[in-house]
Amino acid sequence: MDPHLLRTFVTVARLGSFSAAAAELGYTQSAVSQQIAALEADLGLPLLHRRPVAPTFAGERLLEHAGPLLLRHRAARADVLRAAAGPARRLTVAASPLACTPAVTRALALERVEVTLRTVARERVAEQVASGSAGLGLVDGIAAPSDPLRLPDVGPLSGFGIAEEELVVVLPAGHPLSGRRGLALADLAAALWLQAPAAVPVERLRELAGVDGFRVAFRYDGDDLRTVLNLAAAGHGLTLLPASALPDRAAGVALVAPRVVHRVEVVYGEGGGRAAALAAQLRQPSSSTPPGTSAPGS
């Protein structure tokens, strides 16, 4: 399938309009109609209902494959261009909100290279590296000690763990549990929680604890960690953060069950260059660096 035709199909399906897709893609409406017709002829199946515009059953199945296919296409193009261009003087690093721990940020320097750090959602880090939007990625998550994170398979990437630390439950001052030496996550299922990108998602808390609950009391859509801490301190909900994120350890209690840690991994494309050099530098930020692991596709 022609990736250009596939991209047009995805855009029409997403917008529910041939004219809106034409405006977004910079085509005429007739050109969009011709591209959809060509894709349908190639497959021998109708992919879109016309009135109203909506995917057919076959179109719905194609949409399930379209995202990964288009990403793979962008990743292949970026990989070829990256190899042909040689070492770059500028490097963009895509990082999830809690990936830049103090130990990691101290190592974010490469001689004669200008580094731009971009914060993105956890699930988009590997995608940005694969597509060439970023030369290197830093992604954080929760895992058993020394276990690799579950990263999406988006292309030929290499990666390894560079930092692990304990997790703490952030409580407001005077909370009845603030005097505990440790807390089990399952015992906090009835509590109200904060939902924020710069914190462990509530859905992940349920998965880790193996129980329902963890009701969201307050949602914050920003990435500012200070705001998350202020919201927790004001009693808007509990949150789970890596220990180094707290300015005052008295504000949190260590998570002792389940036995999991906050883990940071570096992800980069094939071919060496500045990204590989910075990855090698990040590999040894401290003596507590976990053993190397491989990202999908490595």
Side-chain angles (χ1 to χ4, degrees), residues 91-119:
L91 181 66
T92 297
V93 177
S96 53
L98 292 179
C100 291
T101 64
V104 172
T105 52
R106 282 194 293 270
L108 268 180
L110 195 60
E111 188 177 356
R112 295 187 296 277
V113 175
E114 176 186 316
V115 176
T116 298
L117 183 65
R118 176 193 301 152
T119 301

Side-chain angles (χ1 to χ4, degrees), residues 13 16 44 46 52 59-60 69 73 78 82 87 91 115 144 157 173 180 184 199 225 232 261 269:
E60 291 284 4
L69 283 172
H73 180 261
R82 187 164 48 225
L91 181 66
V115 176
L157 301 178
R180 297 280 190 91
L225 184 57
V261 294

Side-chain angles (χ1 to χ4, degrees), residues 191-213:
L192 297 177
W193 289 78
L194 280 169
Q195 182 80 308
V200 179
V202 169
E203 297 79 10
R204 183 72 170 122
L205 296 178
R206 298 188 188 110
E207 182 183 348
L208 289 169
V211 297
D212 293 329

Side-chain angles (χ1 to χ4, degrees), residues 184-243:
L185 192 57
D187 294 338
L188 302 172
L192 297 177
W193 289 78
L194 280 169
Q195 182 80 308
V200 179
V202 169
E203 297 79 10
R204 183 72 170 122
L205 296 178
R206 298 188 188 110
E207 182 183 348
L208 289 169
V211 297
D212 293 329
F214 301 95
R215 194 153 54 91
V216 175
F218 197 102
R219 296 181 185 273
Y220 170 56
D221 290 334
D223 295 325
D224 182 56
L225 184 57
R226 181 178 297 179
T227 299
V228 174
L229 293 170
N230 287 340
L231 289 169
H236 291 294
L238 308 184
T239 188
L240 189 64
L241 293 173

